[in-house]
Amino acid sequence: MPTCMEALVFNEVTTIGLDVHARSIRAAAIDTVTGEVIEAKLPPENEEVLGWVRAIAADHGPGHAAYEAGPTGFGLARKLQAAGIPVTVAAPSKIIRPPGERVKTDARDALLLARLLRMDELVAVRVPSEAEEAARDLVRARDDARTDLLSARHRLSKLLLRRGIVYDGTVTWNRPHDAWLRRVRAGGLADAKAGTLAAFDAGYGAVTAILARRDRLDQQITTMATSSEFTGVTNRLACLRGISTLTGFALAVEIGDWHRFTGATIAAYLGLVPSEHSSGGSRSLGPITKTGNTHARRLLIESAWHHKARYAPGKTMTDRWAKVPALVAARGDAGNRRLHHRWQVLTTKHKKHTVANTAIARELAGWCWSLAVMD
């Protein structure tokens, strides 16, 4: 039977920090028993990193690796996990760094990760499945198209404004506005020179191309939303006003595993809770923290505005409710009524609309969670 010291040594883990970059990886391992530090510079291939980690585990005992979440993605984490090696993908914003440290190198960063992992001071980021990451890529490609479209439309409208050409309608970027743009171009843009005409053609062509790209992505998202592992959550989220199929699917893939939260913690994860600076007997609250997933937070902020108008379920909402069990539909109806009531209360108190909408979005996050975790 092993002694207490032998049992303690057997349970010790060698911590491994990896500073991952596109063309190189700096690694540092700490033998928890002896305190020995092993450092290496590795190529970026996952197989090479896996081989080095296995060698460290063979010489110094079971290993646990960690690296920062970043643009290199989660491929390395999946490779290590598939080989049975525990790995922590650390949230960069939560890494504790000494305020007096003025020297930053890859080797120091790798060693810092290993030390923090040894002390259990790293906040882990959830590693999504390959299906989740693929769906997330599609959703973010659609968001990129939205951003590009806003920029292209802005450039085109300001080009006309510099020529003193202003649309006399109330709603822009619809069919009547598009017909007006073509008439303006046919009329020569108020006798504009060749350079201005070429710039207009380029801007109008960019808007048209981005619109087509956005529509193609919308169709692909709609197809995936109706027959994928995210369909159930998407349909349940769509029981709330302001959350269409596209928005519901985006929230489903951005959040991933909703069961890791509660109704009280989902808003904090999305950065929708007030920041705070309190000391002693004073308590000071500030703007929302804006931490966590920015894509999901923007979707909830936009969806919250829809709850301001009078609530009267129409055909669109009843059709969405028909896709889910009656208990889920009733929960969605209760959420819609509650959020509209909150809008009325905040409006009566003369709250600033942007502040009120953020408060509604914070509560909307909780209602989304309650629907997402329903069976």
Side-chain angles (χ1 to χ4, degrees), residues 26-29 37-41 52 56 107-108 110-111:
R26 198 62 188 248
V37 176
I38 306 96
E39 297 181 295
K41 186 175 182 180
W52 186 83
I56 291 295
R108 284 173 175 259
L111 186 57

Side-chain angles (χ1 to χ4, degrees), residues 29-339:
I30 300 177
D31 189 317
T32 309
V33 178
T34 64
E36 180 185 358
V37 176
I38 306 96
E39 297 181 295
K41 186 175 182 180
L42 307 172
E45 289 77 17
N46 293 341
E47 289 293 344
E48 295 288 340
V49 179
L50 177 59
W52 186 83
V53 172
R54 279 175 168 167
I56 291 295
D59 294 340
H60 301 274
H64 187 156
Y67 69 94
E68 291 185 46
T72 55
F74 300 98
L76 178 58
R78 296 193 188 100
K79 190 73 174 181
L80 294 173
Q81 288 175 345
I85 298 171
V87 59
T88 296
V89 182
S93 62
K94 300 292 187 179
I95 293 178
I96 303 172
R97 298 184 184 275
E101 185 65 62
R102 293 293 182 268
V103 178
K104 182 183 183 300
T105 64
D106 293 347
R108 284 173 175 259
D109 287 346
L111 186 57
L112 176 63
L113 286 170
R115 286 173 174 167
L116 292 175
L117 181 61
R118 181 182 183 184
M119 296 183 292
D120 195 24
E121 291 291 342
L122 290 178
V123 178
V125 172
R126 177 179 173 271
V127 178
S129 66
E130 292 189 25
E132 288 180 26
E133 196 165 19
R136 192 176 297 175
D137 288 340
L138 177 61
V139 166
R140 293 187 179 181
R142 202 277 181 190
D143 190 63
D144 291 339
R146 178 192 63 86
T147 304
D148 294 343
L149 183 60
L150 288 174
S151 299
R153 284 173 169 176
H154 180 82
R155 288 191 293 268
L156 184 59
S157 63
K158 296 307 175 280
L159 172 65
L160 295 176
L161 183 60
R162 290 195 297 272
R163 302 292 305 175
I165 303 173
V166 180
Y167 182 54
D168 56 359
T170 57
V171 180
T172 57
W173 306 113
N174 52 12
R175 288 186 179 180
H177 183 256
D178 184 70
W180 175 79
L181 287 174
R182 293 197 298 270
R183 289 197 301 270
V184 168
R185 176 61 180 86
L189 297 183
D191 300 324
K193 302 298 183 183
T196 302
L197 295 175
F200 177 89
D201 292 340
Y204 184 80
V207 171
T208 304
I210 297 172
L211 269 174
R213 170 159 60 99
R214 187 198 65 179
D215 292 343
R216 288 194 301 270
L217 291 170
D218 285 351
Q219 182 59 45
Q220 291 172 329
I221 291 174
T222 301
T223 301
M224 187 175 289
T226 55
S227 59
S228 69
E229 61 184 275
F230 310 103
T231 301
V233 175
T234 300
N235 290 339
R236 293 196 293 273
L237 294 178
C239 292
L240 295 169
R241 279 206 298 177
I243 299 182
S244 62
T245 300
L246 297 180
T247 302
F249 182 80
L251 288 172
V253 301
E254 289 290 349
I255 303 299
D257 182 13
W258 292 77
H259 291 84
R260 57 199 169 117
F261 303 109
T262 66
T265 61
I266 182 69
Y269 168 76
L270 296 172
L272 288 169
V273 297
S275 56
E276 182 175 353
H277 184 79
S278 301
S279 179
S282 65
R283 183 169 184 256
S284 176
L285 299 179
I288 59 174
T289 59
K290 293 186 179 179
T291 59
N293 194 305
T294 58
H295 300 277
R297 182 171 62 251
R298 179 187 62 80
L299 293 172
L300 289 172
I301 289 289
E302 292 180 354
S303 299
W305 287 107
H306 292 263
H307 290 274
K308 185 178 182 181
R310 184 177 67 90
Y311 177 54
K315 185 178 184 304
T316 299
M317 187 58 66
T318 54
D319 288 344
R320 293 178 185 174
W321 289 344
K323 298 179 181 179
V324 298
L327 186 62
V328 176
R331 182 68 175 170
D333 179 59
N336 291 333
R337 295 181 186 279
R338 163 69 182 180
L339 293 170

